[in-house]
Amino acid sequence: MTAAGALRAEWTKFITIRSTTILSAGIVALSILFGWLFGTATANQYDAASAQDRLSFDPMASATRGLFIVQLLVAGLGALVASSEYGSGTIRASAAAVGRRRLLIAKGGMTVLVALPVSVAAMGLMILTFMGTLSARGTPALGLGDAAVIRFVTLGPIVFTLLALFGLALGVLLRGTAAAVNVSTAFLLLPIFAGTSPGWLREALGVYWPNVAAFSAASGQVHAGLSPWGGFGILIGFTAVMLGVAFVRFEARDL
């Protein structure tokens, strides 16, 4: 089977598995919901703020709060692309028909082709809903042509797509949806403990952790010791290592 044929086969699997299509729609719907919820909460906080606090108000500081929940679904989507065939028992037949190497490459390509447009829709609708909610309440908001918004809707989907590939790698390594989702959730939410961690660990979790570093770069809130490209580089390097390990393990072990 050709590479194009393998990719078409992965697309057929994707659209015929209800959980993957529902999850894709859920990512977009939840992004809109969070845009409205955090937009409403931010408008309320602005109304109650002092005149001094209003001078330093930054809409983008609150616009990205929903990302840390939505990212879990994105990683889960990548995990499902890999792990669904282990659950159904069709992974051996797929590997025999396509070849292990081509099968894994096709799954990676399928993950990107699905995660990227879903992420573009999720990020765009989240920021549109958030800023629209602020404007409706008379709270200062950024326009869609603002540099910070453009950076967010351009770079944010790349971060989400890389996290989907991270989920794919976990799905291949752990060979089960539940295990892959649990591990990805724990890994991606670990930075919430940065505030209660010792100094060196606080910086590792709050600045250099792969998803934190990349989201900070996308939102323009980068640590003084880390450039925007450095933040993306951390996530890109981490995802590449995870995919490399998954590729080696998939080639070497029994299915």
Side-chain angles (χ1 to χ4, degrees), residues 221-235:
Q221 300 171 0
V222 183
H223 188 268
L226 186 65
S227 68
W229 291 116
F232 271 104
I234 290 174
L235 181 59

Side-chain angles (χ1 to χ4, degrees), residues 29-44:
L30 193 62
S31 296
I32 296 172
L33 176 62
F34 278 136
W36 176 74
L37 287 175
F38 286 113
T40 301
T42 300
N44 290 337

Side-chain angles (χ1 to χ4, degrees), residues 3 11 32-33 35 73 77 85 93 96 103 112 119 139 145 206 208 224 231-232 243 247 255:
W11 171 250
I32 296 172
L33 176 62
L73 301 184
L77 180 63
E85 285 207 80
L103 176 62
V112 172
S119 299
T139 305
Y208 297 104
F232 271 104
L243 288 172
F247 187 87
L255 296 176

Side-chain angles (χ1 to χ4, degrees), residues 8 14 17 50 60 65 78 81 115 119 127-128 130 154 174 188 197 201 206 210 215 217 228 230 232-234 252:
R8 283 195 297 270
F14 181 86
I17 298 174
S50 64
M60 285 302 297
R65 288 179 182 175
V81 172
S119 299
I127 197 71
L128 182 64
F130 179 87
T154 302
L174 301 177
L188 295 174
S197 302
L201 186 56
F215 278 134
F232 271 104
I234 290 174

Side-chain angles (χ1 to χ4, degrees), residues 161-189:
T161 303
L162 289 169
L163 292 180
L165 289 172
F166 163 62
L168 174 75
L170 284 178
V172 172
L173 289 170
L174 301 177
R175 298 192 284 189
T177 302
V181 169
N182 288 339
V183 171
S184 65
T185 298
F187 181 87
L188 295 174
L189 291 184

Side-chain angles (χ1 to χ4, degrees), residues 6-31:
L7 190 58
R8 283 195 297 270
E10 288 302 314
W11 171 250
T12 301
K13 296 172 193 175
F14 181 86
I15 61 176
T16 54
I17 298 174
R18 183 177 299 178
S19 57
T20 53
T21 53
I22 291 176
L23 185 56
S24 298
I27 289 170
V28 177
L30 193 62
S31 296

